[in-house]
Amino acid sequence: MARIGAQPCLIVARYDRRTAGKAVERVHQEDCCQALGRTAKYQSRGRGGPSLAEIAVLLERYAADPEGQLRQLLAAATFTLAIGNGDAHGKNLALMHDPVGAVRLAPLYDTCPTVMWPGLRTELAMALDGRHSLYDCDRRRLHDEARRWSLPEETARDVVDSTLESLRNALDAGVIAAGSHLALTIGRRVENLLLGDQPTGRGGSLRVRRRARR
């Protein structure tokens, strides 16, 4: 965090740049719309943007470690559902190009829990197992989506559960201010997913707390 004049700023180091002394080198990446030749960003409801299954095909075909990259894709999809992000579209998911010609998923960027604001999207930008709503998907949808990419179910379960547990641990560690709207929103969704339920809406934390005590 920094303040420039009167403006508070969050300054983030770019992952697609390398520095050598005073020289700055661009690291090649392309977003998934570019990689698949799409002009539309959103896949949901037949809008023509990339789907998770199509991105999985790219990783299977061109990644040096296809299974490892499919695990990363599933972790990204789990994170997207858990935080309630309806804007994880084809231009917000990218591929890094290694010098040997292989590709790998870029770190996640432009992630936003859109469920926190009534005017923002409550639909997934990329459907999960044919479902579009951020309130209509549970762990089973993540598992079934991953099976479309040829990931074994046991592997899919491990990736989904470990991603959700990592999110829970981060919240417990205070990575997000405890008691804040953001922490409560994501915490509710994570707990419901771990319990095997669909994430709740903007309210509904009481049911999670009661069940978690049992």
Side-chain angles (χ1 to χ4, degrees):
M1 294 296 296
R3 184 171 291 275
I4 301 175
Q7 184 66 45
C9 301
L10 175 64
I11 301 175
V12 181
R14 293 185 64 133
Y15 63 80
D16 60 344
R17 297 290 187 272
R18 282 193 294 256
T19 57
K22 294 184 179 180
V24 179
E25 178 185 356
R26 178 175 177 268
V27 180
H28 183 56
Q29 72 161 21
E30 61 179 344
D31 65 53
C32 290
C33 286
Q34 293 171 317
L36 290 162
R38 303 292 175 80
T39 55
K41 296 191 298 184
Y42 295 95
Q43 179 256 336
S44 59
R45 308 290 183 188
R47 293 173 184 169
S51 68
L52 289 167
E54 289 173 314
I55 296 167
V57 169
L58 289 179
L59 295 171
E60 286 183 308
R61 189 172 297 168
Y62 299 112
D65 175 20
E67 181 172 329
Q69 289 301 299
L70 290 180
R71 290 173 67 100
Q72 287 291 105
L73 181 62
L74 181 55
T78 303
F79 178 81
T80 294
L81 178 62
I83 71 168
N85 179 14
D87 205 42
H89 53 66
K91 296 194 77 66
N92 280 341
L93 198 63
L95 305 173
M96 306 294 293
H97 287 254
D98 293 331
V100 295
V103 301
R104 54 189 167 84
L105 282 174
L108 291 181
Y109 56 89
D110 200 9
T111 60
C112 176
T114 58
V115 294
M116 289 179 59
W117 291 275
L120 296 185
R121 295 174 55 86
T122 58
E123 282 193 346
L124 286 155
M126 297 186 200
L128 278 175
D129 192 33
R131 298 297 180 98
H132 300 274
S133 173
L134 282 162
Y135 303 121
D136 194 27
C137 294
D138 54 17
R139 279 188 300 174
R140 168 53 58 187
R141 295 296 173 190
L142 288 160
H143 301 160
D144 289 349
E145 174 66 36
R147 287 169 61 190
R148 297 171 181 233
W149 321 337
S150 75
L151 264 185
E153 182 162 356
E154 184 176 348
T155 301
R157 287 177 178 275
D158 176 65
V159 171
V160 171
D161 289 353
S162 63
T163 303
L164 293 172
E165 289 289 353
S166 293
L167 272 167
R168 173 195 266 170
N169 292 339
L171 290 168
D172 288 345
V175 172
I176 303 172
S180 67
H181 186 192
L182 178 62
L184 291 173
T185 298
I186 296 176
R188 281 195 296 267
R189 295 181 64 83
V190 168
E191 292 303 323
N192 274 280
L193 287 167
L194 283 167
L195 287 166
D197 293 340
Q198 296 169 353
T200 60
R202 295 182 181 90
S205 61
L206 185 60
R207 181 170 62 91
V208 173
R209 292 185 184 125
R210 284 176 176 165
R211 291 185 61 174
R213 288 195 187 106
R214 292 176 188 167

